[in-house]
């Protein structure tokens, strides 16, 4: 009986002591993070939402509430619509290219043994390089008179191409540079996915007669890579949607190369139309959230597979 | 009648490490041959060579009398069941089972996404295939599971789907690499029965890799034991149990394991345990150390202290249902433990801590030379401890 | 002997050659900009202006181009700025994120769920979103054009908190309890026991953070007007604007200098580097 009476008492001492200690330490540990979270994410977010429904401009005397007028203006503004269209075109070019070329390269590199390290370095190098500097290099490569690309075209008997001045060529040119910058990264993600495929499945496919390259791909590789492919597709979309650096160096948002982030930058930080720029940022945020929700949904499915 | 499978001088090395050397093997149609051996001895490698997933360095594989060395796995008309089942996770059980037939009967174009819908005969062939799947599924009692994906199946159910995928092409040769090792103990016993049944019903040849000697003993018509890349012994389960060709085989087969006692050959060839003659005489061989193998059920313990017997102290006695296992320590050689199996009703007489004499019938003992190989023996009329 | 028995099938040989052909063409496309950058950086201006395809420069002008690049723009200054900004950001990120992540992973305190939800939510908000309000605040307090302005939005990395929390969660509770029994405080447990075990994750995150902030253009472009605070990308942007054909050799020399540090780190520590950058995708 005595032991029974004692047991809860013994149990209670550490139980009470631990939470106090944990509570103190835990609270203390998260104070800096919480304050920063409030200061540089939550408060700005709130500000942004408020600004987006005003006509605030730096130096303006008074602020008026506009309701959704900024958004209406954006949707009817030809410049913003062009920026939106160009951004989506850019994504539409980079997304399939980035996924499929990345996959192709990964498949080919995966089969190599001795040369694998070389190819990994070669394809990944553009990911590591500072994009601004390399954009300047591309600018030179594509220069109508001095660049080797046009030099090659001319040598092959084609007309000179104004990659960085002809408006209809701008987005495809930017997309090509974007792909150049991105493929190595996607390749690495696909290589990781390929390594995780159990060898047994390929053996089974071979026994079942599905040992040819196309059969192996359709029966094992492609279905097994499905989660990786989804993941790569979403990250590629997000990266593509945020295209900015190459625009800033190569075209400075010139006719034909207006993109979403550059438009936000110009409106907010060059023309100081803060309210309008905030509204554009909210639209940008909506896209980011949509991508993220899509990704979370996909990851969730992968877990429950 | 020609052999179902013949291996001739198969050798294989990975880089510099030799895995298999000079394996010769002939398997009759309808046999259930188990390949056993310690981990890493090359069982899977041999199976993969037979299936064509791996190429041997030298030697020949013949299936149904036909050399198959240049043939792809598919052309060898074999089926294989993998340890992890290797079911395609994105396909339903039915699709998994159908795949080998689809590949057989439809051209590549007819299997490609989208394009396949253009084929006029695809529907008809697929209907025929699903009929066959139905039959196989019925035989294995997995019809209710056909629509499920492997992720929604239990281990035993996956095992059966993998078997169905192997059976559906009606191969004459089944290769199985430790197909039961991922199942829990009870299911393993159950699937053992099912596999034996299946083997009888199909009449096909089974090559079955396992490192569970009980599986090998209970299911096989013959057992081939690999050791260090060589074939240590091949024979019926009874052969391997009663006449193990080497120490390794003797140790591997039988549970609890055989007792190995250090012994000596005297110049006349008498096998001596310490200073005591055993009544066993080696037919050849030099004087020197040898090993004496005694199965636990072949040792008798004598309470009365007869002087001409090795002595051992009972350390512990374990209940094993109908039998009891007695663990003893030899008095002369403390390092050597001894396990004796006695029927439950005889155990009353044995008390832990007591010392007993060890007796055995010499014709039941196995003698192994210094190289570990079995030595031929005969028995002398005078035997120690035989008087029970 | 082996080859006689089983000759390499023609199909496999063809596939081997095909794979290498495709990969080599691709690799050429990936490496061409680097190669041309280096070649142009050592070419003489007149040779550049003729726009020939000749890969080997006729006269070597490396010294002139590189020293001109160093003179025309304070490239070293940009690099030093980059180092200051990246290390400042990284140190504060680690100091803030590690304790928070530990608390979220192993300690119970009120508001834990809420904070973690906020962290997850923060993962989908890129810097471009809070940029405008933060800019206004910095302008209000006269803090533009400073190292602080460039670093402050990145002091909190929700991604670091998330990543470290996942890492710390795997740490066995028994060891923490044993340490508590031994009388260690939570801070000591964190610093002396948990952090050392998480060094690989911390290293990977550090590379990720350094690469991200060394290369970031958007935020510096907003808060920095004066060249002497510019990090490498912004410096490059200033530099690239002097866009005359004659100075292309100099421009390429500058690009080489700015690209070199990360490329060299990559070539030296390939595994870690790839691991670190790959986290960008996971983010
Ligand atoms: N692809 C390979 N490359 C190099 N070595 C290999 C390869 N496959 C197997 N080996 C080696 O060959 C030896 C035999 O391997 P194998 O898989 O045949 O053994 P096993 O008898 O099936 O063992 P287990 O019972 O553990 O499955 C091992 O030492 C293994 O390390
Ligand atoms: Mg094996």
């Amino acid at each position: 009986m005595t032991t029974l009476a004692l047991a809860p008492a013994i149990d209670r001492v550490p139980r009470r002591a631990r939470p106090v200690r944990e509570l103190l330490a835990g609270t203390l540990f998260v104070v800096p993070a919480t304050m920063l979270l409030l200061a540089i994410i939550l408060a700005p977010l709130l500000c942004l939402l408020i600004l987006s429904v005003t006509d605030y401009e730096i130096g303006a005397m008074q602020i008026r509430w506009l309701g959704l007028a900024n958004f209406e203006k954006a949707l009817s503004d030809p410049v913003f619509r062009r920026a939106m269209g160009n951004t989506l075109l850019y994504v539409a070019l980079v997304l399939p290219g980035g996924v499929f070329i990345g996959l192709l390269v990964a498949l080919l590199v995966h089969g190599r043994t001795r040369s694998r390290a070389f190819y990994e370095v070669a394809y990944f190098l553009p990911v590591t390089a500072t994009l601004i500097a390399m954009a300047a290099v591309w600018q030179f490569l594509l220069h109508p008179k001095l660049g080797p690309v046009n030099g090659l075209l001319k040598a092959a008997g084609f007309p000179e191409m104004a990659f960085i001045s002809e408006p209809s060529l701008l987005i495809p040119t930017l997309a090509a540079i974007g792909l150049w910058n991105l493929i190595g990264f996607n390749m690495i993600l696909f290589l990781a996915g390929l390594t995780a495929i159990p060898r047994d499945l390929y053996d089974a496919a071979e026994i079942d007669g599905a040992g040819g390259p196309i059969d192996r791909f359709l029966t094992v590789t492609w279905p097994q890579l499905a989660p990786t492919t989804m993941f790569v597709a979403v990250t590629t979309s997000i990266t593509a949607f945020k295209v900015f650096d190459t625009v800033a160096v190569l075209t400075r948002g010139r006719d034909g190369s207006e993109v979403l982030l550059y438009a936000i930058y110009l409106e907010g930080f060059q023309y100081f139309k803060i309210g309008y720029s905030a509204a554009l940022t909210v639209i940008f945020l909506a896209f980011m959230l949509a991508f993220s929700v899509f990704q979370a949904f996909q990851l969730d499915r992968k877990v429950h597979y | 009648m020609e052999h179902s499978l013949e291996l001739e001088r198969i050798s294989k090395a990975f880089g510099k490490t030799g895995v298999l050397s000079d394996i010769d093997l002939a398997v009759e149609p309808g046999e259930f041959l188990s390949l056993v051996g310690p981990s890493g001895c090359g069982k899977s490698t041999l199976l993969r060579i037979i299936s064509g997933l791996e190429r041997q360095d030298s030697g020949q594989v013949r299936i149904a009398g036909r050399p198959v060395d240049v043939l792809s796995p598919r052309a060898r008309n074999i089926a294989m069941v993998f340890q992890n089942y290797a079911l395609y996770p994105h396909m339903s059980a039915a699709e998994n089972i159908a795949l080998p037939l689809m590949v057989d009967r439809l051209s590549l174009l007819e299997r490609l996404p989208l394009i396949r819908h253009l084929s006029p005969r695809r529907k008809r062939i697929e209907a025929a295939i699903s009929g066959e799947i139905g039959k196989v599924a019925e035989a294995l009692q997995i019809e209710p599971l056909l629509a499920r994906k492997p992720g929604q199946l239990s281990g035993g159910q996956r095992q059966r789907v993998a078997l169905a995928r192997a059976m559906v092409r009606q191969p004459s040769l089944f290769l199985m690499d430790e197909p039961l090792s991922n199942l829990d103990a009870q299911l393993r016993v159950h699937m053992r029965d099912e596999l034996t049944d299946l083997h009888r019903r199909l009449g096909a040849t089974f090559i079955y890799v396992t490192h569970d000697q009980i599986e090998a003993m209970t299911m096989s018509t013959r057992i081939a034991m690999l050791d260090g890349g060589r074939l240590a012994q091949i024979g019926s389960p009874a052969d391997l149990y009663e006449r193990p060709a080497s120490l390794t085989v003797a140790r591997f087969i039988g549970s609890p394991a055989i007792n190995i006692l250090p012994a000596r050959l005297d110049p006349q060839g008498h096998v001596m345990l310490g200073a005591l003659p055993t009544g066993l005489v080696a037919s050849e061989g030099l004087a020197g150390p040898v090993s004496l193998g005694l199965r636990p059920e072949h040792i008798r313990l004598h309470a009365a202290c007869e002087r001409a017997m090795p002595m051992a102290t009972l350390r512990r006695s374990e209940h094993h249902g109908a039998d009891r296992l007695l663990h003893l320590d030899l008095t002369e050689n403390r390092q050597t433990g001894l396990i004796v199996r006695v029927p439950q009703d005889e155990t009353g007489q044995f008390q832990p801590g007591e010392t007993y004499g060890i007796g055995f019938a010499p014709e039941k003992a196995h003698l192994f030379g210094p190289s570990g190989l079995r030595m031929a023996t005969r028995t002398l009329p005078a035997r120690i401890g035989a008087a029970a | 002997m082996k080859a006689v028995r089983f000759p390499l099938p023609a199909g496999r040989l063809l596939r081997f050659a095909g794979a290498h052909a495709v990969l080599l063409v691709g690799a050429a496309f990936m490496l061409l900009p680097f190669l041309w950058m280096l070649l142009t950086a050592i070419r003489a201006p007149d040779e550049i202006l003729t726009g020939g395809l000749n890969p080997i420069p006729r006269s070597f002008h490396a010294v002139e181009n590189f020293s001109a690049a160093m003179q025309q723009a304070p490239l070293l200054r940009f690099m030093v700025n980059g180092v200051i900004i990246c290390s400042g950001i990284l140190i504060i990120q680690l100091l803030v994120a590690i304790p928070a992540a530990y608390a979220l992973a192993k300690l119970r305190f009120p508001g834990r769920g809420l904070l973690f939800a906020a962290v997850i939510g923060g993962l989908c908000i890129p810097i471009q979103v809070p940029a405008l309000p933060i800019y206004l605040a910095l302008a209000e307090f006269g803090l533009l054009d400073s190292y602080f302005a460039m670093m402050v939005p990145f002091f909190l990395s929700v991604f670091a908190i998330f990543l470290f929390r996942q890492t710390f969660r795997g740490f066995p509770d028994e060891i923490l309890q044993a340490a508590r029994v031994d009388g260690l405080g939570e801070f000591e447990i964190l610093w002396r026991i948990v952090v050392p075990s998480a060094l690989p994750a911390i290293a990977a995150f550090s590379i990720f953070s350094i690469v991200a902030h060394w290369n970031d253009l958007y935020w510096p472009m907003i808060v920095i007007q004066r060249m002497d605070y510019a990090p490498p990308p912004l410096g490059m942007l200033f530099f690239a604007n002097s866009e005359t054909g004659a100075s292309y050799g100099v421009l390429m020399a500058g690009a080489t200098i700015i690209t070199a540090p990360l490329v060299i780190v990559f070539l030296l520590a390939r595994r870690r580097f790839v691991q670190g950058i790959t986290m960008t995708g996971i983010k």
Side-chain angles (χ1 to χ4, degrees), chain C residues 104-115:
Chain C
L104 284 175
K106 292 290 184 190
L107 302 176
R108 269 166 304 166
F109 58 93
R112 182 167 90 156
L114 196 65
L115 181 60

Side-chain angles (χ1 to χ4, degrees), chain A residues 199, chain B residues 13-15 17-20 37-48 54 83 177-178 209-211 226:
Chain A
R199 194 176 80 148
Chain B
F14 288 110
T17 45
V19 176
L20 297 171
S39 188
C41 69
K43 305 180 293 289
S44 299
T45 308
L46 187 59
L47 208 66
R48 293 169 60 81
E54 202 90 63
Q83 183 170 2
D177 194 350
E178 308 197 23
V209 168
T210 177
H211 54 215
L226 287 179

